[in-house]
Amino acid sequence: MQSQNPDRRARLGDVAEIMLDYVEQKTTYQAKTTANVRTSTYTDPDQWKAEMELVFRRVPLMLAFTAEMPNPGDYKAMEAVGMPILVSRDKTGKVRAFLNVCSHRGAPVAELGHGNCARFTCKYHAWTFGQDGRLIGISESGTFGDVDKAGLALRELPCEERGGMIFGCLTPNAPMDLDKYFRGFLEDFEAVGFDKWTYLGSRVIEGANWKIAFDGYLEGYHFASLHPDTIQPRTPSNRTFYEGFGPSIRIGFPQHRIGEVLKNLPREEWGDQENNGYDFVRILFPNVSAFLAPEITQVAQLFPGPTPDKNRTVLHYLRRDPIRDEADREAVEASINFFRDVTYQEDYVIGMEIQKGLESGAHDHLTFGRNERGNQYFHEWLNWYLSDDHTLPEPKM
């Protein structure tokens, strides 16, 4: 781990002390009260459409990692909530995001996936665009007629690279202020040098309504019952600490061995022990859950749709060190598949069962306990954005 800001180190040490107490006292973070959420939140097509418009097309979304496209000329073409997106790093190293839509007849200018090129050429009529999105070539231009090339550039999206991640807003010309939005949270990723990590690959899984899936990342109350052989041996169930950074959350999970680790170290070193006695899951509102670990990191990127009862989740994998050799690569692939299978079989399968249960109309609302403050907080922020009245007070952790 890189050297830390002393204030951050002290804060993590304080959090470690709180989590140690949770394990010893068999308790957890407690909200002031329980909270109800309407079951229609997960089934109503009108709410789902509002989420697309008022949340996913307005807030900064994590689109890619620095490690996915580290070199000049690298690009990533992807789909996000039904929109074709192209993220490109130009020859100076600057990252830009565009709608992956040719200005001639609307075809994509890059195939889905990753690549490296000096220009993008539409396969329909071979119009060519630069890394900066400018229209630089029209095939057989002498027969086409006069056009304003400057006005036919790819439609650019707000885009900024921070903390080893590339963020964009899916609405052209929309304001995007990452410091205001994340409120210091990106320092966590900067502190571990996330921009220098190695991208290992991804897997795609599909599940229920995106909020059903996301709810599972926000609490540890289910570890003993749902993950008795995978997570519970490392992490005790229902021992969780929450911190809010605007709508995003840092969730602390103590390990069973937290007392053994911390009590053998000076108190001032407790803030340096992430993944050694305790772990964090970092939630980037509205759709990213990141568990950073030195062996292998899994970052879940959830996209709603294509219908209200479904989500598409891209599980990304990274680590600090590059692949050493073929044996290492095989071991990494095995680890990736293991984490993918656990996430799908133990979390997403029950999520699809929950979807059926909610659609049955058996209950009018779900109840989140005082020990499930992360879920409460997420839904409070979601409702704040859906109100479209940002003069209302923001939710507080």
Side-chain angles (χ1 to χ4, degrees):
M1 182 175 290
Q2 296 186 347
S3 60
Q4 291 194 44
N5 178 301
D7 293 338
R8 177 180 182 275
R9 187 188 193 205
R11 175 57 183 163
L12 295 188
D14 292 342
V15 171
E17 186 170 17
I18 292 169
M19 291 191 288
L20 173 61
D21 184 68
Y22 285 170
V23 171
E24 293 181 337
Q25 302 302 319
K26 294 182 169 53
T27 188
T28 189
Y29 191 105
Q30 297 275 284
K32 293 179 180 179
T33 184
T34 60
N36 292 338
V37 173
R38 294 174 297 105
T39 54
S40 61
T41 294
Y42 303 92
T43 62
D44 181 15
D46 290 334
Q47 171 157 341
W48 185 78
K49 291 175 183 176
E51 290 163 356
M52 299 307 99
E53 180 58 36
L54 299 177
V55 180
F56 279 87
R57 295 189 179 182
R58 294 197 186 185
V59 305
L61 297 181
M62 195 282 290
L63 299 177
F65 301 95
T66 297
E68 277 186 273
M69 39 185 303
N71 303 310
D74 285 349
Y75 69 86
K76 176 184 181 180
M78 60 183 290
E79 182 178 298
V81 293
M83 300 183 67
I85 308 298
L86 174 62
V87 185
S88 170
R89 188 181 299 278
D90 69 18
K91 62 183 179 182
T92 70
K94 179 179 174 58
V95 170
R96 291 181 169 88
F98 309 95
L99 293 175
N100 185 16
V101 180
C102 179
S103 55
H104 173 217
R105 297 274 291 279
V109 301
E111 297 292 336
L112 292 175
H114 300 80
N116 183 284
C117 64
R119 61 189 61 84
F120 300 101
T121 302
C122 174
K123 65 181 179 182
Y124 195 9
H125 295 94
W127 280 33
T128 304
F129 300 83
Q131 295 167 339
D132 58 2
R134 290 183 303 111
L135 174 60
I136 57 177
I138 297 175
S139 59
E140 298 192 45
S141 58
T143 65
F144 190 84
D146 294 333
V147 296
D148 175 19
K149 282 188 178 180
L152 291 173
L154 297 177
R155 181 61 62 88
E156 191 160 5
L157 300 171
C159 181
E160 188 174 346
E161 186 171 20
R162 292 281 295 278
M165 294 170 288
I166 298 165
F167 297 92
C169 179
L170 302 188
T171 299
N173 302 315
M176 189 176 78
D177 186 335
L178 296 186
D179 289 320
K180 181 178 179 181
Y181 185 72
F182 287 110
R183 307 187 193 187
F185 199 19
L186 296 182
E187 182 184 312
D188 258 13
F189 296 88
E190 293 165 351
V192 300
F194 201 47
D195 60 327
K196 303 297 193 298
W197 288 34
T198 297
Y199 188 73
L200 302 172
S202 66
R203 299 290 186 271
V204 176
I205 58 177
E206 296 178 349
N209 177 275
W210 72 279
K211 297 180 297 298
I212 290 176
F214 208 52
D215 277 336
Y217 294 98
L218 299 174
E219 45 89 1
Y221 184 34
H222 67 282
F223 287 174
S225 52
L226 194 64
H227 305 295
D229 301 319
T230 50
I231 297 179
Q232 171 67 15
R234 174 186 178 103
T235 307
S237 198
N238 204 28
R239 306 285 179 263
T240 310
F241 185 74
Y242 294 103
E243 299 169 274
F245 297 80
S248 297
I249 310 171
R250 182 167 62 200
I251 310 176
F253 292 100
Q255 299 172 11
H256 289 286
R257 58 193 290 269
I258 187 171
E260 165 192 340
V261 171
L262 297 184
K263 290 179 178 179
N264 289 319
L265 292 171
R267 175 60 178 79
E268 61 270 19
E269 295 181 14
W270 287 14
D272 299 327
Q273 304 308 311
E274 181 175 354
N275 304 131
N276 181 35
Y278 59 86
D279 301 294
F280 291 109
V281 168
R282 293 164 170 87
I283 301 295
L284 305 182
F285 184 89
N287 70 325
V288 169
S289 173
F291 172 51
L292 274 60
E295 303 85 4
I296 193 165
T297 279
Q298 177 173 284
V299 181
Q301 183 186 36
L302 286 78
F303 293 112
T307 54
D309 60 336
K310 293 181 173 61
N311 87 84
R312 175 178 174 271
T313 297
V314 184
L315 300 172
H316 300 274
Y317 297 92
L318 305 94
R319 74 176 187 188
R320 286 187 173 89
D321 302 322
I323 297 292
R324 294 184 295 273
D325 51 35
E326 194 56 37
D328 185 32
R329 183 179 300 281
E330 291 179 3
V332 163
E333 289 295 311
S335 294
I336 288 175
N337 290 334
F338 171 78
F339 284 111
R340 183 268 318 273
D341 291 345
V342 167
T343 304
Y344 179 76
Q345 294 171 5
E346 296 186 8
D347 288 291
Y348 278 52
V349 167
I350 197 170
M352 289 183 282
E353 294 172 348
I354 291 169
Q355 184 77 47
K356 292 179 181 178
L358 299 184
E359 290 174 350
S360 76
H363 304 287
D364 294 330
H365 66 265
L366 304 181
T367 302
F368 289 110
R370 293 182 60 203
N371 58 335
E372 297 176 300
R373 179 56 187 151
N375 302 82
Q376 295 183 15
Y377 191 73
F378 165 71
H379 284 275
E380 289 166 7
W381 271 99
L382 180 63
N383 290 337
W384 186 82
Y385 277 104
L386 292 178
S387 73
D388 204 23
D389 180 2
H390 294 176
T391 63
L392 296 172
E394 296 177 348
K396 301 296 183 185
M397 187 64 77

